[in-house]
């Protein structure tokens, strides 16, 4: 009988790869709440260049993450991940040693060029059975969320002791620590193969990009990260000018982020368990827009800013949780990896646009102009979200069928389609994998497991 639990090796793989992701995310995000204040003293600084420095990693990450994943198919996961972490460490050193804003931009771009996300996801897929892949990805996802929380609080704390250059040096050390984790803790896969659930399929890009529902979500994550990055081009400066000492910024971030995360959890449960995803999603976009409108008007008051930042992070956390869930619900099971690849690239493009646009608008129109720009973008998103279709409440399942020929694959596909709760099924004979979209409230897991090669 197939185990319902992850094996020790699968748990070790998930935790160790989540650790690598977390170390890298810390390095990317720790400077966000402090860099605008530090950059004022750099040679050649302008508001535009400050914004580009904050968001530069997004452009190189977006351009290179899919190629890095493809290279890992050819040259192996661990060598490509190691190379990516070395590039990330090199970028951190360049930024740490820079005395000009252009030097920091180069360092940040190099940090993003170490684009290992797709390769790490592929390695996680190599090391976990299809039936437990979602659990491994959930562990990685939770770690990324916690890393962002720690980075936003830890950046201002570390800045008091080592400054921004010290934070960059620390990120280089963290990257080297990630390499140690790769080679000392991450299990070695028995074999590397392609996984449609985690990796993009080039032939599927046209199909995914033609899906208007998926495109709404891709535009949504782009706008979300545009707004977040643009806002943090000016939030540290606005807090300081409102009379809140930079040394105390971590206290505010700790409060608003922890309380924001707590506020988002009930709505995540309502969206998933009560099947009110669209209502919760649209409400979160509206709350995000309200926070930016308020910041545009009241960024001179620390007390009001604190309340609005709590609202911002409550909505941000909720949207960060629901957007990937919506992608998984809407994308065909056999195209999930491609849909997530486009989604992830859109996120990083948004970070670059947000930095560059936020910096330029700050220089031309001040703090209020940046927040108003973010509000306008989010209101556009609100219109798109309000007119989206209610998503199908389906989850992705995969079944390892073992070695099957084309005729047997067709027979199994027809048989699986008759199982109660199965909404769609596609069987890949070459991989020996069945990709299903199922209603978790209706499907019988025991009936599905009977098709697994593990039961034969």
């Amino acid at each position: 009988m197939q185990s319902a639990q992850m094996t020790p090796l699968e748990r070790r793989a998930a935790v160790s790869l989540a650790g690598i992701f977390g170390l890298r995310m810390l390095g990317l995000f720790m400077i966000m709440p402090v860099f605008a204040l530090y950059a004022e003293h750099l040679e050649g600084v302008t508001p535009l260049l400050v914004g580009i420095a904050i968001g530069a990693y997004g452009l190189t990450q977006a351009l290179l993450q899919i190629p890095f994943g493809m290279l890992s198919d050819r040259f192996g996961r661990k060598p490509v991940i190691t190379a990516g972490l070395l590039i990330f460490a090199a970028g951190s050193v360049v930024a740490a040693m820079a005395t000009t804003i252009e030097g920091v931009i180069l360092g940040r771009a190099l940090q993003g060029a170490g684009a290992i996300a797709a390769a790490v996801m592929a390695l996680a897929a190599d090391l976990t059975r299809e039936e437990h892949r979602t659990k491994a990805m959930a562990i990685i996802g939770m770690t990324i969320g916690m890393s962002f929380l720690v980075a936003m609080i830890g950046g201002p704390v570390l800045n008091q002791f080592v400054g921004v250059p010290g934070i960059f040096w620390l990120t280089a050390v963290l990257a080297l620590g990630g390499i140690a984790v790769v080679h000392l803790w991450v299990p070695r896969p028995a074999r590397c193969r392609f996984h449609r659930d985690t990796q993009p399929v080039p032939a599927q890009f046209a199909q995914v990009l033609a899906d208007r529902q998926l495109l709404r979500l891709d535009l949504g994550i782009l706008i979300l990260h545009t707004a977040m990055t643009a806002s943090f081009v000016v939030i540290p400066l606005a807090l300081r000018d409102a009379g809140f000492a930079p040394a105390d910024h971590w206290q505010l971030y700790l409060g608003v982020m922890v309380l924001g995360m707590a506020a988002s959890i009930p709505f995540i449960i309502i969206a998933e368990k009560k099947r009110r995803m669209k209502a919760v999603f649209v409400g979160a976009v509206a709350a995000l827009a309200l926070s930016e409108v308020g910041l545009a008007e009241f960024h001179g008051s620390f007390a009001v800013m604190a309340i609005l930042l709590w609202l911002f992070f409550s909505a941000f956390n909720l949207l960060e949780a629901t957007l990937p869930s919506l992608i998984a619900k809407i994308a065909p099971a056999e195209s999930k990896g491609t849909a997530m690849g486009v989604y992830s690239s859109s996120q990083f493009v948004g970070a670059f646009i947000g930095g560059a646009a936020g910096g330029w608008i700050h220089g031309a129109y001040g703090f209020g102009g940046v927040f108003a720009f973010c509000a306008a973008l989010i209101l556009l998103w609100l219109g798109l979200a309000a007119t989206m279709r209610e998503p199908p409440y389906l989850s992705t399942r995969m079944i390892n069928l073992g070695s099957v020929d084309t005729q047997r694959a067709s027979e199994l596909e027809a048989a699986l389609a008759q199982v109660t709760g199965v909404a769609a099924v596609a069987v890949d004979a070459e991989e020996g994998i069945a990709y299903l979209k199922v209603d978790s409230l209706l499907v019988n897991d025991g009936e599905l497991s009977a098709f697994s090669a593990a039961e034969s």
Side-chain angles (χ1 to χ4, degrees):
M1 190 73 178
Q2 188 175 307
S3 171
Q5 301 295 323
M6 298 177 75
T7 66
L9 185 143
E10 287 174 323
R11 287 194 294 270
R12 179 177 153 198
V15 171
S16 58
L17 291 171
I20 293 167
F21 249 118
L23 291 173
R24 189 170 180 276
M25 289 298 103
L26 279 174
L28 284 174
F29 290 122
M30 272 197 295
I31 74 151
M32 188 167 289
V34 297
F35 184 74
L37 296 165
Y38 164 77
E40 290 179 326
H41 308 292
L42 288 173
E43 182 183 334
V45 70
T46 67
L48 171 60
L49 293 178
V50 171
I52 291 175
I54 291 174
Y57 78 92
L59 181 60
T60 47
Q61 174 90 15
L63 291 173
L64 295 174
Q65 66 164 344
I66 291 176
F68 260 66
M70 293 177 175
L71 287 173
S72 76
D73 291 333
R74 181 171 182 180
F75 297 107
R77 314 296 188 207
K78 289 192 176 186
V80 169
I81 293 170
T82 300
L85 288 170
L86 284 172
I87 294 170
F88 179 83
S92 301
V93 171
V94 168
M97 297 179 67
T99 57
T100 66
I101 188 67
E102 291 85 0
V104 176
I105 290 172
L106 174 61
R108 288 287 280 174
L110 273 174
Q111 283 186 320
I116 61 171
V120 170
M121 290 298 193
L123 181 53
D126 289 334
L127 291 168
T128 54
R129 290 167 292 168
E130 287 77 12
E131 294 82 0
H132 298 291
R133 190 78 41 78
T134 301
K135 298 176 187 175
M137 298 308 169
I139 292 170
I140 292 172
M142 287 188 293
T143 303
I144 293 172
M146 289 305 299
S147 295
F148 181 72
L149 172 65
V150 172
M152 294 300 293
I153 299 165
V157 172
L158 287 170
N159 186 48
Q160 297 179 57
F161 299 100
V162 298
V164 170
I167 293 174
F168 280 126
W169 281 114
L170 176 61
T171 62
V173 173
L174 291 175
L176 297 177
I179 293 173
V181 172
V182 169
H183 294 282
L184 298 178
W185 196 11
V186 176
R188 183 175 297 277
R191 66 188 182 101
C192 295
R193 63 181 182 84
F194 187 82
H195 306 274
R196 288 174 179 266
D197 60 308
T198 59
Q199 295 174 262
V201 180
Q204 293 177 345
F205 279 123
Q207 172 196 353
V208 167
L209 291 171
D211 189 315
R212 292 185 179 182
Q213 295 302 306
L214 289 175
L215 282 177
R216 288 170 189 258
L217 301 177
D218 295 333
L219 182 61
I221 192 65
L222 185 148
I223 290 175
L224 181 62
H225 279 260
T226 296
M228 191 268 288
T229 309
S231 295
F232 271 91
V233 172
V234 296
I235 283 174
L237 302 172
L239 288 172
R240 180 197 62 189
D241 290 358
F244 192 53
D248 297 328
H249 284 192
W250 70 270
Q251 300 174 26
L252 174 64
Y253 294 134
L254 173 63
V256 299
M257 292 197 71
V258 171
L259 292 174
M261 188 173 293
S264 69
I265 290 173
F267 291 100
I268 294 171
I269 295 171
I270 291 169
E272 295 287 357
K273 300 297 184 183
K274 302 296 184 181
R275 301 198 165 188
R276 300 295 303 276
M277 180 67 77
K278 180 180 176 180
V280 169
F281 180 71
V282 172
V285 177
L288 192 72
L290 180 61
S291 70
E292 293 284 6
V293 169
L295 287 168
E297 183 67 26
F298 299 108
H299 56 266
S301 167
F302 167 70
V304 178
M305 278 194 74
I307 295 170
L308 292 169
L309 286 174
W310 166 78
L311 181 62
F312 177 91
F313 281 112
S314 298
F316 180 85
N317 290 329
L318 183 52
L319 291 164
E320 281 279 287
T322 53
L323 276 164
S325 178
L326 283 166
I327 291 282
K329 286 175 170 59
I330 293 171
E334 70 276 14
S335 305
K336 181 182 174 184
T338 306
M340 289 303 299
V342 173
Y343 169 86
S344 182
S345 294
S346 301
Q347 171 182 329
F348 292 118
V349 169
F352 174 71
I353 293 173
W360 179 79
I361 294 169
H362 174 213
Y365 302 103
F367 300 158
V370 175
F371 294 128
F373 163 73
C374 295
L377 276 182
I378 297 166
L379 288 170
L380 169 65
W381 182 18
L382 180 61
L384 293 172
T387 56
M388 69 183 281
R389 294 197 297 264
E390 187 74 36
Y393 289 92
L394 303 174
S395 57
T396 301
R397 300 284 178 87
M398 290 176 292
I399 301 175
N400 185 349
L401 302 173
S403 179
V404 294
D405 57 24
T406 304
Q407 181 179 346
R408 180 57 179 158
S410 180
E411 293 170 353
L412 288 169
E413 187 172 295
L416 282 163
Q418 299 304 311
V419 175
T420 301
V422 173
V425 57
V427 174
D428 189 305
E430 185 177 346
E431 296 179 353
I433 302 294
Y435 298 91
L436 300 91
K437 298 300 286 281
V438 306
D439 186 326
S440 58
L441 297 182
L442 300 176
V443 74
N444 185 317
D445 289 327
E447 197 172 351
L448 289 182
S449 66
F451 289 88
S452 172
E455 298 293 328
S456 302

